[in-house]
Amino acid sequence: MRQREALSETWRIFPTNPQAPIHLRAIWPKGVPGERLTKNITFNARDYPTVADRQAAFEGKALQLNALGYNIYLCLNSVDPSFPGDERNGLAVKDEHIRCRRYLLIDIDRTETNEPISDDEVDDVLAVVDRVETDLRAMYGYEPLTVFSGNGGHIYIPLENIPNTPESKALCQSILRALAEKYDTPTVKIDTSVYNAGRITKVPGTVARKGLETEERPYRMAHVVE
């Protein structure tokens, strides 16, 4: 699957509300030479009146910065239209800029993550992903939304746009802790720190970099798992 095609799948999982900004965060990967400052870029309805315009602008910038070596992220939850960020001022979305939660992220990764993932480690991670997906199907009767992040698995649990409150934050934190207790293995873990409302997540169609790649540990493209 080519990058542009894979990137367009982003909007199937993270649809853009009519007036909501789309926030891009470009972070230089750990362990890669030539470190650069993080970039926060927001495509808002003032500068891009249509959703299609915002999405196209995001895709173009994401591919450009990814080609320069950055890892590319967007906000897991929809950003409030009042957020003042744009393409020039570099403001970062914070928890208070999120009104409602649409997803809880289950981030499944290796216990050691300082280098790109190997084929065998991909199999280990996806085995845990499959266990979690199977249980979610049995418990809730829906097909989980899953992305291979380039170094692990991301499963998104719908939260039906519950308000962003201290209570919902505590609920998300407790769910992740319970999942980690059930599914963690000696080599694969569920990240229990990703419960905040302003959480960013890897963009499908972009290459994930971490450390130095080798033939056994290549950089891989994030993509939606069918």
Side-chain angles (χ1 to χ4, degrees):
M1 182 183 293
R2 290 184 291 183
Q3 269 196 285
R4 179 70 74 169
E5 181 183 356
L7 183 54
S8 68
E9 284 286 279
T10 300
W11 315 120
R12 179 161 66 88
I13 295 182
F14 305 107
T16 306
N17 294 335
Q19 296 302 313
I22 306 177
H23 182 72
L24 182 156
R25 191 165 301 167
I27 301 176
W28 194 255
K30 293 180 180 179
V32 175
E35 184 174 359
R36 304 179 189 181
L37 295 176
T38 295
K39 295 180 180 292
N40 290 290
I41 303 169
T42 303
F43 304 94
N44 55 44
R46 181 184 65 252
D47 297 328
Y48 299 93
T50 72
V51 167
D53 287 344
R54 265 168 273 154
Q55 291 175 344
F58 179 97
E59 290 179 16
K61 184 60 71 172
L63 291 173
Q64 177 191 15
L65 291 173
N66 194 224
L68 292 174
Y70 288 92
N71 287 332
I72 309 300
Y73 303 83
L74 84 166
C75 290
L76 178 69
N77 297 305
S78 185
V79 180
D80 193 292
S82 65
F83 175 62
D86 57 30
E87 292 178 82
R88 297 163 294 277
N89 59 24
L91 295 179
V93 169
K94 299 180 180 179
D95 290 352
E96 57 263 32
H97 301 128
I98 305 295
R99 285 185 182 175
C100 299
R101 295 173 177 265
R102 58 181 172 187
Y103 290 127
L104 172 63
L105 167 62
I106 307 174
D107 183 2
I108 303 172
D109 207 342
R110 299 157 291 157
T111 53
E112 298 294 334
T113 61
N114 293 324
E115 55 189 352
I117 194 169
S118 69
D119 289 345
D120 287 343
E121 289 167 341
V122 169
D123 291 341
D124 290 344
V125 168
L126 292 184
V128 176
V129 169
D130 185 65
R131 288 177 57 207
V132 176
E133 288 180 334
T134 299
D135 286 354
L136 288 175
R137 290 189 197 97
M139 287 187 293
Y140 301 108
Y142 69 85
E143 188 68 28
L145 300 168
T146 305
V147 169
F148 175 68
S149 70
N151 278 297
H154 289 173
I155 299 175
Y156 301 99
I157 299 179
L159 294 179
E160 306 299 335
N161 289 319
I162 63 173
N164 175 23
T165 63
E167 291 76 18
S168 65
K169 180 179 179 179
L171 173 63
C172 290
Q173 185 178 29
S174 66
I175 291 173
L176 291 178
R177 286 175 174 171
L179 290 170
E181 184 175 344
K182 181 175 182 179
Y183 296 106
D184 278 5
T185 75
T187 59
V188 178
K189 65 179 178 63
I190 290 176
D191 189 340
T192 60
S193 69
V194 297
Y195 55 84
N196 63 302
R199 173 61 47 179
I200 55 174
T201 190
K202 194 68 62 59
V203 174
T206 61
V207 175
R209 299 176 176 90
K210 181 182 297 185
L212 300 178
E213 70 172 338
T214 65
E215 184 176 351
E216 293 77 20
R217 295 181 175 277
Y219 295 146
R220 304 173 193 259
M221 185 180 72
H223 62 272
V224 176
V225 177
E226 299 294 344

